[in-house]
Amino acid sequence: MDQAVAIPHDYPEPVATDSYIIPTLGLYHGTFVFSYLSTFLSYITPYDLPVELLRDAFHTKVSFLQLILEALKVESGYICLIAIFFLISLIPLCYTIAWGCAKEPDDDLNPGPTVDAIIQAEELSLEESLHCRKSFLGLMLQVVILLLIAGVIAMFVTNEQIASAVDHTPTVVRSSLLDAATFLRDAESQMRFVIAEGLATATERIRNDLESVDKLLGEPIQHHLALFTGIDIIFDSIIEISTSSSNLSRRIHLLQDALARAAKISYEAEYRLDELQIQLSVLQRQCTFRDRPLCDTLRIRNFEDTGLIERIRKLQADRTLAKLMAMGEASRNSSMHALTQELTLARSTFRNYAIDVRNVTDNQADQVHERLEELSTDIHATVSILTQTIGELVEQVNRTANFSDSFFDRYREIGAILWLAGLATTIMTLLVTLILLSALSCGCCHADNKAGITLILGAICICIASLALSGFTMMEMLLGAHGQLFICHPLYNEPEYTVLQKLIDKPGLIYPTEPQYGIIGELLRKAAPPEAQWSQPVQISLSTALNECEKGHGSYSTFQLDTLLNLTAKLEHRQRPDLERAIESVGASEEPFIGFTVRIQGILEDMLYDSDLNLTGTRMELTQLSPDKDVLTFIDQLQRVSAQIQDVATASRMTTLGSRAKRLQLSLLAPLEQLRSHIVYHLTALELQLSPWAAQVNKSLSHLRNAQTFLDTEAAEVCYNRSDVYRARLRAHLDSYRNYTSTVLNGGCASCRPLFDIFDAMRMLFCHHIMDPMNGLWFSAFLCLFLWAVATPLSLMLSSTYRRLEILSSKLQHSNSHRYNARASVREDQRESSHWSTQRSVSVHVNAVAESSTDEELPHYTASGDDEDAGTDEGAVVIEYIELRYENGDPTNYRESLI
């Protein structure tokens, strides 16, 4: 089990598309200045929208009047704002009416030809005060006009931003729909790739393993058994026994050859010895009486007495030697031939076990292939359900895109109307501002009369325009505030999206009846084909989906597509009995190893039995038997006896007999003696070879028995364990595919982040590119309305100041005409007619008569004058002027002269 091969996980990875349009539109670029107004609106916005009322209004279950009445209950903040706008718009009109009906403050001025000196001095002081007032009011009006110009610019900019965003809205919406369709197709492609390609990879690996069952299953079993039994070494040792047996057989062949030649010679020698024995008997009978005792002493041993022929014949007829000799022969009936055949067969059985396993498991592999085809068919059907569902969703997106074309025509018309209204209001505000600016310009040019009239005209225009501007402000405020309430607040209420979830999920505005499992579940249920088998309904809220998509989670887990596809259960191979049985049937059997060396053991046992020979006794007997020595002894004895025989004839016959014995010894017995020595040598050599050969046979037989015992007892368990490892490998491919599919699909595969990007782009468009400028438009209009309310009293007060200064100036000029001499009068006329001279009052000397002044006051008045005025009449009012004369019209180069 510890040698199980690790399954690689290098499955193909899906590649996501990057052809989305939304990121290229630049919706997130720019500065949104009026976003802070949404915070202000949130304070006057009700905490919860009347979702049920909106749903009933969406499905026209309530009347428009009832909708307005119900809306008034929750829109007190908006009503207060409308009231404030309206009241502020009435301020210019009310103040203008009040100003027109009020008594003018300069009616007390007496336009008589002469005034008293003290009153004239007061008028001069009043003139200075009016000049100061005029400057202050002019400065304040300038600040107001500058703010009005800024407000007009803000109105123009925000109005153009709204128009640009409205014109850009169809492009953004179409791009969003195209991106949604792209996302759906890309998500379907990635999920289909993961499921289909992963299954194809797992199936291909299983097929490769089934084709390599000999290497993955047969060879490990073979190596394991060879390691624990040493069967290959045993087979090699048996081959060495075969070689030793051949040598042993050759040695026995040499022995048998020597025995055959010895037997042939011994037969001839026996016949000749028998003749010699007969001749000796005749000779003994022919001996004289006197020599008979000597003749009787002659004896000769034949082969029967020595037992040589019997030993040779016994060795020749020994069946064990014959079997040992035949063992190494090449004949088909030899034991060595049988051993070689059995050894070859056993070796082939063991070494070809892996191929046999592959051949035996062909049928089981075919069954596994059939079950894998069924699994592939089932998975492809599941992928087809996914493809059809996504395809239907894409069709719905396309239908929405086609429907949006007609909607955007109306949308553009409304946008154009709003833009024209905003442009007209901006131009109206600009014109009124220009009237006020022109009045200030007239004042700077000392056209006080024209400036006063222009200011009054500007105030009247403000009174009229304020009502129109307030109406426009209220309309824009209602649009912007309700857009912030109904669009931006639900869209940016993250992460709960409480309002949006109530609007769409429950109770929902799209469906007449409340969706049971939310809008996502309803969309998937309607888009799924009829053959789809739901394991359970999709229960995911819109807020959960948006939050998970914002984090970049996969679409499969986010939208609970497993409830539609039921892929987890289909990929669990243990829940497929047919596939599990097919895999379980694949395995190796121990049957080829059971008793496959029994016949070899039998042959070795026979060889070991045949090796039990007592060659030592035979060799010792053959060593003691020597017919040649017996004949030589007889010849020597015959020579000694013949020398003692007195009878010449008998002696002569003995000599002849000795010659015959000598020839027998030389021709037969000497070669026979040599052969006997060879036979003894071969027996000795055979004995030396037979003992280690028998030990080798015994050792190989013992090892072979042990190996076969291990095979008989342990081979079944080894085969089962290795087969279990191999089956676990096949299952591991399916488990790896299931884990890979689950990990990838539930991970970042087919990330639904593009959906959140589309959602974020839409809320960015409507909230920051439309609602923020719209709120900025009504805020800028309200600012201009408020500034008009401030500018109206400023304009009217400045107009009154201009008028009073004009009246006061005419009085002073009429009074001074009786006091000034002709030269001074001429200079005064020249000063007033000059556009390049500037006059200023230097000092006023009042000389009062004694009746109208105290003694303490008189020196004060007299001391305040110059020496040149000493001759002036007492009680006269003296006004001195300094004239600034410019050289060549250069205002920086001037000189002063007293007038």
Side-chain angles (χ1 to χ4, degrees):
M1 297 295 292
D2 55 346
Q3 297 179 357
V5 181
I7 303 301
H9 296 279
D10 51 341
Y11 283 87
E13 291 292 337
V15 179
T17 183
D18 56 353
S19 58
Y20 290 103
I21 306 175
I22 287 295
T24 64
L25 298 181
L27 293 174
Y28 301 92
H29 299 160
T31 303
F32 308 103
V33 180
F34 296 101
S35 297
Y36 64 91
L37 290 175
S38 60
T39 305
F40 167 73
L41 292 174
S42 64
Y43 291 111
I44 62 173
T45 301
Y47 183 76
D48 288 326
L49 291 177
V51 180
E52 291 75 11
L53 179 63
L54 291 176
R55 182 173 178 272
D56 293 338
F58 185 81
H59 294 290
T60 64
K61 292 183 179 181
V62 295
S63 62
F64 182 73
L65 180 60
Q66 183 180 0
L67 177 63
I68 294 177
L69 293 177
E70 293 293 334
L72 290 177
K73 296 179 182 179
V74 295
E75 295 189 349
S76 57
Y78 297 152
I79 295 174
C80 290
L81 280 180
I82 291 174
I84 292 173
F85 294 163
F86 183 72
L87 292 176
I88 291 177
S89 67
L90 293 179
I91 291 176
L93 178 62
C94 294
Y95 187 85
T96 303
I97 294 174
W99 178 82
C101 296
K103 181 181 179 180
E104 292 296 334
D106 54 349
D107 291 343
D108 296 336
L109 296 176
N110 185 9
T114 60
V115 291
D116 162 292
I118 296 176
I119 301 223
Q120 190 173 6
E122 292 177 354
E123 289 178 352
L124 290 174
S125 177
L126 177 61
E127 184 182 16
E128 288 185 358
S129 176
L130 290 176
H131 277 292
C132 181
R133 183 179 183 183
K134 182 189 72 170
S135 301
F136 174 75
L137 292 175
L139 178 62
M140 294 300 295
L141 189 58
Q142 288 177 12
V143 174
V144 171
I145 290 174
L146 289 177
L147 294 176
L148 280 172
I149 293 174
V152 169
I153 294 174
M155 290 176 62
F156 179 79
V157 172
T158 53
N159 190 55
E160 290 301 321
Q161 287 180 345
I162 295 172
S164 175
V166 169
D167 291 338
H168 199 51
T169 298
T171 302
V172 176
V173 174
R174 290 192 186 96
S175 300
S176 300
L177 294 174
L178 289 175
D179 282 357
T182 301
F183 162 75
L184 290 172
R185 286 190 291 267
D186 182 56
E188 184 272 334
S189 175
Q190 291 186 57
M191 288 186 285
R192 185 182 69 248
F193 180 87
V194 170
I195 297 172
E197 293 299 324
L199 178 61
T201 302
T203 302
E204 183 65 23
R205 290 176 178 175
I206 292 175
R207 288 177 178 173
N208 292 336
D209 287 353
L210 290 174
E211 291 177 358
S212 303
V213 66
D214 52 342
K215 296 182 177 61
L216 299 176
L217 180 58
E219 291 183 0
I221 293 175
Q222 180 181 340
H223 293 162
H224 182 86
L225 294 179
L227 178 65
F228 282 89
T229 60
I231 193 70
D232 291 331
I233 299 175
I234 295 174
F235 287 155
D236 292 338
S237 66
I238 294 176
I239 292 176
E240 293 178 0
I241 291 174
S242 176
T243 304
S244 301
S245 299
S246 298
N247 296 332
L248 188 64
S249 178
R250 284 195 297 270
R251 178 62 63 185
I252 296 175
H253 270 287
L254 294 175
L255 176 62
Q256 290 292 343
D257 183 62
L259 289 173
R261 288 187 286 120
K264 182 178 180 182
I265 294 175
S266 62
Y267 289 149
E268 181 68 23
E270 182 183 13
Y271 176 75
R272 298 284 293 276
L273 281 175
D274 289 342
E275 289 184 349
L276 189 62
Q277 183 71 29
I278 294 171
Q279 292 176 1
L280 179 60
S281 299
V282 173
L283 177 63
Q284 288 176 344
R285 285 194 301 267
Q286 291 178 355
C287 285
T288 61
F289 179 78
R290 189 182 52 184
D291 295 329
R292 186 174 297 276
L294 288 174
C295 291
D296 291 338
T297 59
L298 294 174
R299 292 286 185 272
I300 185 172
R301 299 180 60 186
N302 56 16
F303 282 90
E304 293 180 357
D305 295 335
T306 61
L308 178 61
I309 295 178
E310 182 181 358
R311 295 292 183 273
I312 292 176
R313 289 177 179 176
K314 186 178 179 180
L315 285 174
Q316 283 184 322
D318 193 304
R319 298 182 62 184
T320 303
L321 287 177
K323 290 175 65 176
L324 292 176
M325 183 181 64
M327 180 179 60
E329 294 179 353
S331 62
R332 298 179 61 87
N333 296 327
S334 64
S335 58
M336 190 53 61
H337 179 75
L339 179 63
T340 303
Q341 283 186 334
E342 293 298 329
L343 183 62
T344 302
L345 180 61
R347 208 170 203 179
S348 175
T349 301
F350 189 82
R351 291 183 175 179
N352 294 333
Y353 177 76
I355 299 175
D356 294 339
V357 168
R358 179 177 180 179
N359 295 333
V360 170
T361 57
D362 282 343
N363 294 331
Q364 290 81 357
D366 292 339
Q367 294 179 5
V368 175
H369 290 158
E370 292 176 2
R371 301 292 85 79
L372 289 177
E373 288 295 332
E374 294 176 359
L375 176 62
S376 299
T377 303
D378 194 7
I379 296 301
H380 285 303
T382 302
V383 174
S384 177
I385 292 176
L386 175 64
T387 302
Q388 295 179 33
T389 303
I390 299 299
E392 180 60 27
L393 292 176
V394 172
E395 289 296 326
Q396 292 181 12
V397 172
N398 293 333
R399 287 195 295 268
T400 304
N402 296 332
F403 169 76
S404 64
D405 293 337
S406 60
F407 170 77
F408 284 130
D409 294 337
R410 184 63 176 171
Y411 178 77
R412 288 192 187 93
E413 294 176 0
I414 297 175
I417 294 174
L418 292 176
W419 177 76
L420 288 175
L423 182 62
T425 305
T426 304
I427 293 175
M428 178 192 69
T429 308
L430 179 61
L431 291 177
V432 174
T433 304
L434 291 177
I435 291 175
L436 297 177
L437 185 61
S438 63
L440 284 180
S441 300
C442 292
C444 293
C445 297
H446 303 288
D448 296 343
N449 188 20
K450 295 180 181 179
I453 296 174
T454 306
L455 288 173
I456 295 174
L457 177 63
I460 296 174
C461 292
I462 288 175
C463 295
I464 299 174
S466 292
L467 298 176
L469 184 60
S470 65
F472 176 78
T473 304
M474 287 184 285
M475 179 190 68
E476 290 293 332
M477 189 273 296
L478 289 176
L479 290 177
H482 285 84
Q484 187 71 31
L485 172 65
F486 290 109
I487 298 178
C488 299
H489 178 65
L491 294 180
Y492 279 97
N493 185 25
E494 50 187 2
E496 292 82 8
Y497 298 100
T498 306
V499 179
L500 187 63
Q501 187 166 335
K502 288 182 179 180
L503 288 173
I504 297 180
D505 266 351
K506 292 183 179 181
L509 296 178
I510 297 178
Y511 300 102
T513 59
E514 182 176 327
Q516 185 177 3
Y517 303 108
I519 186 173
I520 297 177
E522 293 292 332
L523 289 174
L524 289 176
R525 183 179 60 82
K526 290 188 176 183
E531 61 270 16
Q533 298 178 355
W534 298 84
S535 60
Q536 61 181 9
V538 175
Q539 300 180 356
I540 179 173
S541 63
L542 187 63
S543 61
T544 303
L546 288 175
N547 291 325
E548 291 189 3
C549 289
E550 185 178 8
K551 297 175 183 177
H553 291 175
S555 303
Y556 188 84
S557 59
T558 300
F559 300 111
Q560 300 178 2
L561 294 180
D562 193 60
T563 59
L564 169 63
L565 305 179
N566 198 17
L567 192 63
T568 302
K570 292 179 181 178
L571 294 181
E572 183 55 58
H573 59 86
R574 294 174 181 83
Q575 297 182 7
R576 291 180 169 271
D578 294 339
L579 178 59
E580 190 64 19
R581 283 195 298 268
I583 294 177
E584 192 64 30
S585 65
V586 179
S589 174
E590 75 282 1
E591 184 177 355
F593 300 118
I594 303 301
F596 81 112
T597 63
V598 172
R599 297 190 64 182
I600 298 177
Q601 293 181 39
I603 295 174
L604 292 178
E605 288 174 355
D606 292 340
M607 294 171 66
L608 185 61
Y609 178 77
D610 293 339
S611 65
D612 189 14
L613 289 175
N614 186 13
L615 298 179
T616 304
T618 304
R619 178 172 55 81
M620 295 300 295
E621 290 178 355
L622 289 177
T623 302
Q624 296 174 2
L625 297 178
S626 179
D628 182 63
K629 291 181 180 180
D630 294 339
V631 172
L632 289 176
T633 302
F634 172 73
I635 294 173
D636 182 65
Q637 184 183 10
L638 187 63
Q639 288 177 355
R640 288 195 302 269
V641 171
S642 65
Q644 297 177 9
I645 293 298
Q646 296 178 2
D647 186 17
V648 176
T650 302
S652 176
R653 284 195 291 271
M654 285 186 179
T655 301
T656 302
L657 184 61
S659 299
R660 291 178 180 174
K662 187 66 176 177
R663 287 195 299 270
L664 175 63
Q665 185 271 329
L666 292 175
S667 61
L668 294 177
L669 296 181
L672 181 61
E673 180 64 19
Q674 187 178 4
L675 288 175
R676 184 189 66 82
S677 299
H678 288 170
I679 291 172
V680 172
Y681 169 76
H682 287 307
L683 286 174
T684 303
L686 179 61
E687 188 176 8
L688 293 175
Q689 289 181 352
L690 188 60
S691 179
W693 177 82
Q696 187 178 8
V697 171
N698 186 30
K699 183 179 179 181
S700 299
L701 179 60
S702 177
H703 289 168
L704 190 60
R705 285 173 179 172
N706 294 334
Q708 187 61 56
T709 302
F710 180 86
L711 292 175
D712 293 342
T713 56
E714 302 293 335
E717 184 178 358
V718 172
C719 291
Y720 176 79
N721 292 336
R722 291 293 175 174
S723 298
D724 195 45
V725 171
Y726 177 76
R727 288 189 292 266
R729 178 187 175 91
L730 297 181
R731 295 188 184 97
H733 288 304
L734 297 175
D735 291 337
S736 178
Y737 164 60
R738 183 196 62 217
N739 296 334
Y740 156 78
T741 304
S742 176
T743 301
V744 175
L745 290 182
N746 293 322
C749 174
S751 172
C752 61
R753 175 69 192 194
L755 286 182
F756 181 81
D757 292 339
I758 293 172
F759 168 77
D760 193 38
M762 296 302 297
R763 69 181 183 179
M764 176 66 68
L765 171 68
F766 287 106
C767 295
H768 291 289
H769 290 273
I770 295 180
M771 291 303 152
D772 282 352
M774 188 171 291
N775 290 326
L777 181 58
W778 71 257
F779 180 77
S780 301
F782 168 72
L783 179 63
C784 293
L785 186 65
F786 177 77
L787 292 173
W788 277 355
V790 176
T792 300
L794 290 176
S795 300
L796 294 176
M797 286 189 293
L798 187 59
S799 176
S800 299
T801 303
Y802 279 136
R803 187 158 56 88
R804 294 181 67 185
L805 282 173
E806 184 181 1
I807 295 173
L808 185 60
S809 177
S810 64
K811 279 185 178 185
L812 292 175
Q813 291 177 4
H814 179 73
S815 174
N816 292 336
S817 62
H818 301 280
R819 294 286 182 180
Y820 299 159
N821 54 28
R823 183 172 177 270
S825 177
V826 171
R827 290 184 178 180
E828 179 67 21
D829 293 339
Q830 292 177 354
R831 181 186 62 79
E832 289 181 355
S833 63
S834 176
H835 294 285
W836 298 101
S837 63
T838 301
Q839 67 177 10
R840 60 178 179 172
S841 176
V842 178
S843 63
V844 177
H845 299 273
V846 179
N847 296 319
V849 294
E851 294 80 9
S852 60
S853 303
T854 62
D855 294 337
E856 290 80 2
E857 294 173 347
L858 184 59
H860 172 74
Y861 287 109
T862 58
S864 62
D866 295 336
D867 294 339
E868 296 178 358
D869 300 329
T872 308
D873 295 337
E874 294 182 0
V877 177
V878 180
I879 300 176
E880 295 180 353
Y881 294 94
I882 295 177
E883 181 180 11
L884 300 180
R885 296 185 179 277
Y886 299 98
E887 297 293 336
N888 298 324
D890 186 2
T892 61
N893 186 9
Y894 63 89
R895 61 185 179 86
E896 298 181 357
S897 59
L898 182 64
I899 300 176

